[in-house]
Amino acid sequence: MLKTSESLSGGSALSEPVALRRHPTPGAEQAASTSTDPRYLPTCNGCIAREAGACPGFGVKGEASSQRGFVQLQSQIQVFPARKPILHSREEADFVPVICSGLAAASVGLPNGRKQIVSFLLAGEAASMNYLFEPCAGRAIEAVSPVSCRKFHRAGLREAVLKNPALVTRLGRALSEERERSDQLSLDLSRRPAEARIARLIASLFQRLRKKGQAQDDAIDFPLRQQQLADATGLTAVHVCKILSRFRARGLLRLDGRRLTLLDRKGLQELVEWH
Amino acid sequence: MLKTSESLSGGSALSEPVALRRHPTPGAEQAASTSTDPRYLPTCNGCIAREAGACPGFGVKGEASSQRGFVQLQSQIQVFPARKPILHSREEADFVPVICSGLAAASVGLPNGRKQIVSFLLAGEAASMNYLFEPCAGRAIEAVSPVSCRKFHRAGLREAVLKNPALVTRLGRALSEERERSDQLSLDLSRRPAEARIARLIASLFQRLRKKGQAQDDAIDFPLRQQQLADATGLTAVHVCKILSRFRARGLLRLDGRRLTLLDRKGLQELVEWH
DNA sequence: CGGATAGTTGAGTTATCTCAAATGCAGTGG
DNA sequence: CCACTGCATTTGAGATAACTCAACTATCCG
């Protein structure tokens, strides 16, 4: 059903390490970990800021050591432990938040606490390309696993992207993907049963991680709580639990520690393609 | 809850008429009506193509008669009767479809025919700003009321927009609004009860039309079938019917012909703000 | 006038929710 | 190392919002 955009950032090699500057986290006081903690090392292939040569951690693609990426563009990197807020929903920010490593979630919420996770953010992805244009998206961003996040000066990054036709193309593709995922989410929430929603969420995460070289065979790191799965699929944590049990009972997948293993891709795929 | 972006296209005067070129409709053979049919006259305030000076029907904003809008930019206008497809979901198009008059809907669907309307398109709005960047959005566009739609050459319109900083800002805002509406739709579908969804849909349409000067006091044209309301709210036509009856019984609104009148804004607002 | 499409209403079903209690598990301080 | 606290997961029982099916009526359009 989905137009598979395999074209995205074909690179395969994992990224080289980068020296992280420590920085106090305003919203989450005890945001900790040292700069050498492996959980915070970036795996940010395909990051648009990096390709724009705007990331202090990297050189411009193809221009190995010359212009070593030190384009004059303000940015700060911060680290967040799992489950801490990265950006509050009404926070106006003068920067574009980009995930350098880890997994984050963007959500919209009701005053009563119920919420909907509208997007999971992988390493190398901006929270949303909309932050290039507008200071507030009405979305809350929070760390799912430990996350390192770099915040780029909005106007600077926008100009850097817009003046480069190749990056404009990348921007357009990223916007398209965001929108398409969002459309499919709406379709899931309104028209697909709980089993299909969960199967599709898992399959989608798996596929995106695989594309970035962050899947090992049939397994991925899976730091999501059931409550977060529920928030992402419009269900209840209790119901998610029951369905996951069913999946395990049917031998579709295994889920131990924070590790997810797909045992029956075919069976899962049938659920994904449910109609 | 929603960040109200009242800033959008403050103009109030209805737009002047434009000579429509008749054009055969490929998908919908009996697409008819003459160029003077009032139903097809544009009311397209705030159209980005128009502001780019790209619309043959209008001059550049503020430059009254000088450069009368005849920027060399391919575009064709077509008319579609209510309920006819404007763009099929997998259709790759070399153009950006912009609604000049009438009401259209963008939807994503399942092979079994179930679908979700993800966005209603008013006069002066592009089907999605993503068409500026990508040839296919996986969305089906269809006319809800009789629609006239102009199709602009993608690359041409994109360049015209990108080279003008003011229009880049407008583009960013439009993208933001699309995304925010889409986020709220997901929240509705997953976390709000049927009554709130319908009330919010109605309120949102009313507000958008009012902003464009297309509302009269408490009434608007309301060409939607109940099936379309259902497709937009993730419900069943039967259920929509029952809820609308309830609304009428409670004196919240009237719905005769294809005309919607709000009778109790306060009551409606309470539903909209449900949590 | 007749056929097709849209809306209404009722009866019965079901997917998902709520509530509640039990278990497991991870981190903390003694 | 252990008891303790808090969070996450599991399981069951019962409630309910929304669905399906079906028949009927109203409205539109040729």
Side-chain angles (χ1 to χ4, degrees), chain B residues 202-203 206 218-220 251-254 260-265 268:
Chain B
I202 288 175
F206 185 86
D218 285 332
I220 54 173
L252 293 180
L253 48 76
R254 198 148 35 100
L260 170 76
T261 311
L262 305 189
L263 298 178
D264 178 4
R265 295 233 200 186
L268 219 20

Side-chain angles (χ1 to χ4, degrees), chain A residues 1-3 89-90 92 108-112 114-116 118 128 130 133-139 158 162 168-169 171-180 182-187 189-192 197 227 230-236 273-275, chain B residues 1-3 89-90 92 108-112 114-116 118 128 130 133-139 158 162 168-169 171-180 182-187 189-192 197 227 230-236 273-275:
Chain A
M1 181 91 215
L2 270 169
K3 203 179 60 163
S89 69
R90 292 274 150 248
E92 302 239 339
V108 286
L110 252 29
N112 65 0
R114 293 167 142 243
K115 66 178 171 178
Q116 174 65 43
V118 291
S128 161
N130 274 138
F133 301 101
E134 297 278 330
C136 175
R139 289 177 168 187
R158 181 180 56 234
L162 289 183
V168 169
T169 302
L171 166 65
R173 199 157 53 219
L175 283 167
S176 258
E177 272 169 35
E178 281 185 27
R179 198 200 33 68
E180 180 139 3
S182 157
D183 287 353
Q184 289 295 321
L185 175 62
S186 294
L187 191 54
L189 294 175
S190 69
R191 302 305 187 195
R192 281 194 251 245
R197 292 186 215 174
Q227 180 59 56
D231 289 340
T233 51
L235 299 169
T236 294
E273 278 158 13
W274 184 97
H275 60 274
Chain B
M1 180 93 215
L2 270 169
K3 204 178 57 164
S89 68
R90 293 272 150 247
E92 303 239 338
V108 287
L110 254 27
N112 65 0
R114 292 168 142 239
K115 67 177 170 176
Q116 174 65 42
V118 291
S128 161
N130 275 136
F133 300 102
E134 297 279 329
C136 176
R139 289 176 168 186
R158 181 179 57 235
L162 289 183
V168 169
T169 302
L171 166 65
R173 198 158 53 219
L175 284 167
S176 258
E177 271 169 34
E178 281 185 27
R179 197 201 32 69
E180 180 139 5
S182 159
D183 286 353
Q184 289 296 322
L185 175 63
S186 295
L187 191 54
L189 295 175
S190 68
R191 301 305 187 196
R192 279 193 251 246
R197 293 187 214 173
Q227 180 60 54
D231 289 340
T233 51
L235 300 168
T236 295
E273 278 158 16
W274 184 97
H275 59 275

